[in-house]
Short mmCIF file of all heavy atoms in Angstrom, two decimals:
data_model
loop_
_atom_site.label_atom_id
_atom_site.label_comp_id
_atom_site.label_asym_id
_atom_site.label_seq_id
_atom_site.Cartn_x
_atom_site.Cartn_y
_atom_site.Cartn_z
N ASP A 1432 0.83 -1.19 0.00
CA ASP A 1432 0.00 0.00 0.00
C ASP A 1432 0.87 1.25 0.00
O ASP A 1432 1.82 1.36 0.79
CB ASP A 1432 -0.91 0.01 1.24
CG ASP A 1432 -2.06 1.00 1.11
OD1 ASP A 1432 -2.79 0.91 0.11
OD2 ASP A 1432 -2.22 1.84 2.00
N MET A 1433 0.58 2.17 -0.90
CA MET A 1433 1.24 3.49 -0.93
C MET A 1433 2.76 3.37 -1.06
O MET A 1433 3.51 4.18 -0.54
CB MET A 1433 0.86 4.30 0.31
CG MET A 1433 -0.62 4.58 0.45
SD MET A 1433 -1.07 5.33 2.04
CE MET A 1433 -0.37 6.98 1.88
N GLY A 1434 3.23 2.33 -1.76
CA GLY A 1434 4.67 2.19 -1.99
C GLY A 1434 5.41 1.41 -0.93
O GLY A 1434 6.65 1.35 -0.97
N ALA A 1435 4.70 0.75 0.00
CA ALA A 1435 5.38 0.08 1.10
C ALA A 1435 6.31 -1.02 0.62
O ALA A 1435 7.42 -1.19 1.16
CB ALA A 1435 4.34 -0.51 2.06
N CYS A 1436 5.91 -1.79 -0.39
CA CYS A 1436 6.76 -2.90 -0.85
C CYS A 1436 7.97 -2.41 -1.62
O CYS A 1436 8.92 -3.17 -1.82
CB CYS A 1436 5.94 -3.86 -1.71
SG CYS A 1436 4.82 -4.90 -0.73
N ALA A 1437 7.96 -1.17 -2.06
CA ALA A 1437 9.12 -0.60 -2.75
C ALA A 1437 10.06 0.11 -1.79
O ALA A 1437 11.28 -0.01 -1.89
CB ALA A 1437 8.67 0.37 -3.84
N ILE A 1438 9.48 0.86 -0.84
CA ILE A 1438 10.30 1.74 0.01
C ILE A 1438 10.77 1.05 1.27
O ILE A 1438 11.95 1.16 1.65
CB ILE A 1438 9.50 3.02 0.35
CG1 ILE A 1438 9.08 3.76 -0.92
CG2 ILE A 1438 10.34 3.94 1.24
CD1 ILE A 1438 8.15 4.94 -0.68
N LEU A 1439 9.88 0.35 1.98
CA LEU A 1439 10.24 -0.22 3.27
C LEU A 1439 11.43 -1.18 3.19
O LEU A 1439 12.33 -1.09 4.04
CB LEU A 1439 9.03 -0.89 3.90
CG LEU A 1439 9.20 -1.33 5.36
CD1 LEU A 1439 9.52 -0.15 6.27
CD2 LEU A 1439 7.95 -2.06 5.85
N PRO A 1440 11.50 -2.10 2.20
CA PRO A 1440 12.68 -2.97 2.13
C PRO A 1440 13.98 -2.22 1.93
O PRO A 1440 15.04 -2.68 2.37
CB PRO A 1440 12.38 -3.87 0.92
CG PRO A 1440 10.90 -3.85 0.78
CD PRO A 1440 10.50 -2.47 1.19
N ARG A 1441 13.93 -1.06 1.30
CA ARG A 1441 15.15 -0.27 1.09
C ARG A 1441 15.64 0.35 2.40
O ARG A 1441 16.80 0.70 2.51
CB ARG A 1441 14.90 0.81 0.05
CG ARG A 1441 14.75 0.27 -1.37
CD ARG A 1441 14.52 1.41 -2.35
NE ARG A 1441 14.69 0.97 -3.72
CZ ARG A 1441 13.73 0.48 -4.50
NH1 ARG A 1441 12.51 0.37 -4.01
NH2 ARG A 1441 13.98 0.10 -5.73
N ILE A 1442 14.73 0.51 3.35
CA ILE A 1442 15.10 1.11 4.63
C ILE A 1442 15.55 0.04 5.62
O ILE A 1442 16.59 0.19 6.27
CB ILE A 1442 13.91 1.90 5.22
CG1 ILE A 1442 13.49 3.03 4.27
CG2 ILE A 1442 14.29 2.49 6.59
CD1 ILE A 1442 12.22 3.75 4.70
N ILE A 1443 14.79 -1.05 5.73
CA ILE A 1443 15.07 -2.02 6.79
C ILE A 1443 15.46 -3.40 6.26
O ILE A 1443 15.78 -4.29 7.05
CB ILE A 1443 13.88 -2.16 7.75
CG1 ILE A 1443 12.65 -2.74 7.05
CG2 ILE A 1443 13.55 -0.82 8.40
CD1 ILE A 1443 11.49 -3.04 8.00
N GLY A 1444 15.44 -3.61 4.94
CA GLY A 1444 15.78 -4.91 4.39
C GLY A 1444 14.54 -5.71 4.02
O GLY A 1444 13.47 -5.54 4.62
N GLN A 1445 14.71 -6.60 3.05
CA GLN A 1445 13.58 -7.36 2.51
C GLN A 1445 12.93 -8.26 3.55
O GLN A 1445 11.70 -8.30 3.68
CB GLN A 1445 14.06 -8.21 1.33
CG GLN A 1445 12.97 -8.95 0.60
CD GLN A 1445 12.23 -8.10 -0.41
OE1 GLN A 1445 12.59 -6.94 -0.64
NE2 GLN A 1445 11.20 -8.65 -1.02
N GLY A 1446 13.73 -9.02 4.31
CA GLY A 1446 13.17 -9.96 5.27
C GLY A 1446 12.40 -9.27 6.38
O GLY A 1446 11.31 -9.72 6.77
N ARG A 1447 12.96 -8.19 6.91
CA ARG A 1447 12.28 -7.48 7.98
C ARG A 1447 11.01 -6.81 7.48
O ARG A 1447 9.98 -6.80 8.17
CB ARG A 1447 13.23 -6.45 8.59
CG ARG A 1447 14.36 -7.09 9.39
CD ARG A 1447 15.48 -6.10 9.64
NE ARG A 1447 16.49 -6.68 10.52
CZ ARG A 1447 17.70 -6.16 10.70
NH1 ARG A 1447 18.04 -5.05 10.07
NH2 ARG A 1447 18.55 -6.74 11.51
N ALA A 1448 11.08 -6.24 6.28
CA ALA A 1448 9.89 -5.63 5.70
C ALA A 1448 8.81 -6.69 5.49
O ALA A 1448 7.63 -6.46 5.78
CB ALA A 1448 10.23 -4.95 4.39
N ALA A 1449 9.20 -7.86 5.00
CA ALA A 1449 8.23 -8.93 4.78
C ALA A 1449 7.55 -9.33 6.09
O ALA A 1449 6.34 -9.58 6.13
CB ALA A 1449 8.93 -10.15 4.15
N GLU A 1450 8.33 -9.40 7.17
CA GLU A 1450 7.75 -9.75 8.46
C GLU A 1450 6.67 -8.75 8.87
O GLU A 1450 5.57 -9.14 9.29
CB GLU A 1450 8.85 -9.81 9.53
CG GLU A 1450 8.33 -10.13 10.92
CD GLU A 1450 9.43 -10.16 11.97
OE1 GLU A 1450 10.61 -10.32 11.59
OE2 GLU A 1450 9.11 -10.01 13.16
N LEU A 1451 6.98 -7.47 8.76
CA LEU A 1451 6.01 -6.46 9.17
C LEU A 1451 4.79 -6.44 8.26
O LEU A 1451 3.65 -6.26 8.72
CB LEU A 1451 6.67 -5.08 9.17
CG LEU A 1451 7.80 -4.86 10.18
CD1 LEU A 1451 8.33 -3.43 10.07
CD2 LEU A 1451 7.35 -5.15 11.60
N LEU A 1452 5.00 -6.63 6.94
CA LEU A 1452 3.89 -6.53 6.00
C LEU A 1452 3.01 -7.78 6.00
O LEU A 1452 1.80 -7.69 5.80
CB LEU A 1452 4.43 -6.27 4.59
CG LEU A 1452 5.18 -4.94 4.41
CD1 LEU A 1452 5.74 -4.82 3.01
CD2 LEU A 1452 4.29 -3.75 4.73
N TYR A 1453 3.59 -8.95 6.25
CA TYR A 1453 2.79 -10.17 6.32
C TYR A 1453 2.05 -10.31 7.66
O TYR A 1453 0.91 -10.76 7.71
CB TYR A 1453 3.67 -11.41 6.13
CG TYR A 1453 4.02 -11.71 4.69
CD1 TYR A 1453 5.34 -11.85 4.30
CD2 TYR A 1453 3.02 -11.90 3.73
CE1 TYR A 1453 5.68 -12.14 2.99
CE2 TYR A 1453 3.35 -12.20 2.41
CZ TYR A 1453 4.68 -12.32 2.05
OH TYR A 1453 5.00 -12.60 0.75
N LEU A 1454 2.72 -9.93 8.74
CA LEU A 1454 2.13 -10.13 10.07
C LEU A 1454 1.30 -8.94 10.53
O LEU A 1454 0.43 -9.08 11.38
CB LEU A 1454 3.23 -10.42 11.10
CG LEU A 1454 4.12 -11.64 10.83
CD1 LEU A 1454 5.10 -11.84 11.98
CD2 LEU A 1454 3.27 -12.88 10.61
N GLY A 1455 1.62 -7.76 10.02
CA GLY A 1455 0.90 -6.57 10.45
C GLY A 1455 1.17 -6.19 11.89
O GLY A 1455 0.42 -5.41 12.48
N ARG A 1456 2.24 -6.73 12.46
CA ARG A 1456 2.52 -6.45 13.87
C ARG A 1456 3.23 -5.11 14.04
O ARG A 1456 3.76 -4.54 13.09
CB ARG A 1456 3.40 -7.57 14.46
CG ARG A 1456 4.84 -7.57 13.98
CD ARG A 1456 5.68 -8.48 14.87
NE ARG A 1456 7.08 -8.54 14.49
CZ ARG A 1456 7.99 -7.64 14.89
NH1 ARG A 1456 7.64 -6.60 15.62
NH2 ARG A 1456 9.26 -7.78 14.52
N SER A 1457 3.25 -4.63 15.27
CA SER A 1457 3.91 -3.36 15.56
C SER A 1457 5.43 -3.55 15.65
O SER A 1457 5.90 -4.55 16.20
CB SER A 1457 3.40 -2.78 16.88
OG SER A 1457 2.05 -2.40 16.77
N MET A 1458 6.14 -2.60 15.11
CA MET A 1458 7.59 -2.52 15.27
C MET A 1458 7.88 -1.57 16.43
O MET A 1458 7.42 -0.43 16.43
CB MET A 1458 8.24 -2.00 13.99
CG MET A 1458 9.74 -1.73 14.08
SD MET A 1458 10.44 -1.18 12.50
CE MET A 1458 9.50 0.34 12.20
N SER A 1459 8.58 -2.05 17.44
CA SER A 1459 8.90 -1.20 18.58
C SER A 1459 9.92 -0.15 18.19
O SER A 1459 10.60 -0.26 17.16
CB SER A 1459 9.45 -2.03 19.74
OG SER A 1459 10.73 -2.55 19.41
N ALA A 1460 10.05 0.86 19.03
CA ALA A 1460 11.05 1.90 18.77
C ALA A 1460 12.45 1.31 18.77
O ALA A 1460 13.30 1.68 17.93
CB ALA A 1460 10.94 3.00 19.82
N GLU A 1461 12.72 0.37 19.68
CA GLU A 1461 14.05 -0.25 19.74
C GLU A 1461 14.34 -1.04 18.47
O GLU A 1461 15.44 -0.95 17.91
CB GLU A 1461 14.14 -1.17 20.96
CG GLU A 1461 15.50 -1.83 21.13
CD GLU A 1461 15.56 -2.73 22.34
OE1 GLU A 1461 14.52 -2.91 23.02
OE2 GLU A 1461 16.65 -3.26 22.62
N GLU A 1462 13.34 -1.81 18.00
CA GLU A 1462 13.52 -2.53 16.74
C GLU A 1462 13.75 -1.54 15.60
O GLU A 1462 14.63 -1.75 14.76
CB GLU A 1462 12.28 -3.37 16.43
CG GLU A 1462 12.17 -4.66 17.18
CD GLU A 1462 10.91 -5.41 16.82
OE1 GLU A 1462 9.83 -4.77 16.72
OE2 GLU A 1462 11.00 -6.63 16.65
N GLY A 1463 12.95 -0.49 15.56
CA GLY A 1463 13.07 0.49 14.50
C GLY A 1463 14.44 1.14 14.46
O GLY A 1463 14.99 1.40 13.38
N LEU A 1464 15.02 1.38 15.63
CA LEU A 1464 16.36 1.95 15.70
C LEU A 1464 17.39 0.93 15.23
O LEU A 1464 18.28 1.25 14.41
CB LEU A 1464 16.66 2.40 17.12
CG LEU A 1464 18.04 3.05 17.34
CD1 LEU A 1464 18.16 4.35 16.56
CD2 LEU A 1464 18.27 3.29 18.84
N ASN A 1465 17.29 -0.30 15.72
CA ASN A 1465 18.26 -1.34 15.35
C ASN A 1465 18.18 -1.70 13.87
O ASN A 1465 19.18 -2.08 13.26
CB ASN A 1465 18.04 -2.59 16.20
CG ASN A 1465 18.40 -2.37 17.66
OD1 ASN A 1465 19.19 -1.48 17.99
ND2 ASN A 1465 17.82 -3.16 18.54
N TRP A 1466 16.98 -1.59 13.30
CA TRP A 1466 16.78 -1.97 11.90
C TRP A 1466 17.06 -0.81 10.93
O TRP A 1466 17.03 -1.00 9.73
CB TRP A 1466 15.35 -2.46 11.70
CG TRP A 1466 15.07 -3.78 12.34
CD1 TRP A 1466 15.93 -4.55 13.07
CD2 TRP A 1466 13.83 -4.48 12.31
NE1 TRP A 1466 15.31 -5.69 13.50
CE2 TRP A 1466 14.01 -5.69 13.05
CE3 TRP A 1466 12.58 -4.23 11.75
CZ2 TRP A 1466 12.98 -6.62 13.22
CZ3 TRP A 1466 11.56 -5.15 11.93
CH2 TRP A 1466 11.77 -6.33 12.65
N GLY A 1467 17.31 0.38 11.45
CA GLY A 1467 17.60 1.51 10.59
C GLY A 1467 16.39 2.31 10.16
O GLY A 1467 16.51 3.23 9.34
N PHE A 1468 15.21 1.99 10.70
CA PHE A 1468 14.02 2.78 10.36
C PHE A 1468 14.10 4.13 11.04
O PHE A 1468 13.80 5.16 10.43
CB PHE A 1468 12.75 2.03 10.78
CG PHE A 1468 11.48 2.66 10.30
CD1 PHE A 1468 11.03 2.47 9.00
CD2 PHE A 1468 10.71 3.46 11.14
CE1 PHE A 1468 9.86 3.05 8.54
CE2 PHE A 1468 9.54 4.04 10.71
CZ PHE A 1468 9.11 3.83 9.40
N PHE A 1469 14.48 4.14 12.32
CA PHE A 1469 14.63 5.39 13.05
C PHE A 1469 16.09 5.81 13.10
O PHE A 1469 16.98 4.98 13.30
CB PHE A 1469 14.07 5.25 14.47
CG PHE A 1469 12.58 5.07 14.54
CD1 PHE A 1469 12.02 3.95 15.12
CD2 PHE A 1469 11.74 6.03 14.00
CE1 PHE A 1469 10.65 3.77 15.18
CE2 PHE A 1469 10.35 5.86 14.05
CZ PHE A 1469 9.82 4.73 14.64
N ASN A 1470 16.31 7.11 12.94
CA ASN A 1470 17.66 7.66 13.08
C ASN A 1470 18.03 7.89 14.53
O ASN A 1470 19.21 7.77 14.90
CB ASN A 1470 17.75 8.99 12.32
CG ASN A 1470 17.51 8.83 10.84
OD1 ASN A 1470 16.36 8.87 10.39
ND2 ASN A 1470 18.56 8.64 10.07
N ARG A 1471 17.03 8.21 15.35
CA ARG A 1471 17.25 8.43 16.78
C ARG A 1471 16.01 7.97 17.55
O ARG A 1471 14.89 8.07 17.05
CB ARG A 1471 17.47 9.92 17.11
CG ARG A 1471 18.62 10.61 16.41
CD ARG A 1471 19.96 10.31 17.05
NE ARG A 1471 20.98 11.20 16.49
CZ ARG A 1471 21.58 11.02 15.32
NH1 ARG A 1471 21.24 9.98 14.56
NH2 ARG A 1471 22.50 11.87 14.90
N VAL A 1472 16.23 7.50 18.77
CA VAL A 1472 15.14 7.28 19.72
C VAL A 1472 15.48 8.10 20.96
O VAL A 1472 16.56 7.93 21.55
CB VAL A 1472 14.96 5.80 20.08
CG1 VAL A 1472 13.95 5.64 21.21
CG2 VAL A 1472 14.51 5.00 18.87
N VAL A 1473 14.60 9.01 21.33
CA VAL A 1473 14.86 9.95 22.43
C VAL A 1473 13.66 9.99 23.36
O VAL A 1473 12.56 9.54 23.01
CB VAL A 1473 15.16 11.36 21.88
CG1 VAL A 1473 16.41 11.36 21.01
CG2 VAL A 1473 13.97 11.92 21.10
N GLU A 1474 13.85 10.54 24.53
CA GLU A 1474 12.75 10.68 25.48
C GLU A 1474 11.71 11.67 24.94
O GLU A 1474 12.05 12.56 24.15
CB GLU A 1474 13.28 11.14 26.83
CG GLU A 1474 14.13 10.10 27.53
CD GLU A 1474 13.40 8.78 27.73
OE1 GLU A 1474 12.22 8.82 28.16
OE2 GLU A 1474 13.99 7.72 27.45
N PRO A 1475 10.46 11.53 25.37
CA PRO A 1475 9.40 12.37 24.82
C PRO A 1475 9.67 13.86 24.87
O PRO A 1475 9.35 14.59 23.92
CB PRO A 1475 8.18 12.00 25.67
CG PRO A 1475 8.45 10.59 26.10
CD PRO A 1475 9.93 10.51 26.30
N ASP A 1476 10.29 14.33 25.98
CA ASP A 1476 10.52 15.76 26.08
C ASP A 1476 11.64 16.25 25.16
O ASP A 1476 11.87 17.46 25.05
CB ASP A 1476 10.82 16.17 27.53
CG ASP A 1476 12.06 15.48 28.09
OD1 ASP A 1476 12.63 14.59 27.41
OD2 ASP A 1476 12.46 15.82 29.22
#
């Protein structure tokens, strides 16, 4: 949807993108940081 199969694998890799797109599960902030989706994880303030 909206380019997810083209863009998401380029950010986090094909296997990880497939996991999220097939399972529909949430990616935690820690996973997102380790997988390269997030550039930084910081406290809310």
Side-chain angles (χ1 to χ4, degrees):
D1432 196 54
M1433 299 171 70
C1436 285
I1438 302 173
L1439 190 60
R1441 289 181 167 90
I1442 300 173
I1443 65 174
Q1445 185 82 5
R1447 290 164 174 166
E1450 178 181 339
L1451 296 181
L1452 297 177
Y1453 280 125
L1454 302 183
R1456 72 166 181 84
S1457 293
M1458 173 177 61
S1459 69
E1461 182 180 3
E1462 282 180 316
L1464 181 64
N1465 292 337
W1466 290 1
F1468 189 80
F1469 292 121
N1470 298 87
R1471 302 281 191 280
V1472 173
V1473 298
E1474 293 303 315
D1476 60 354

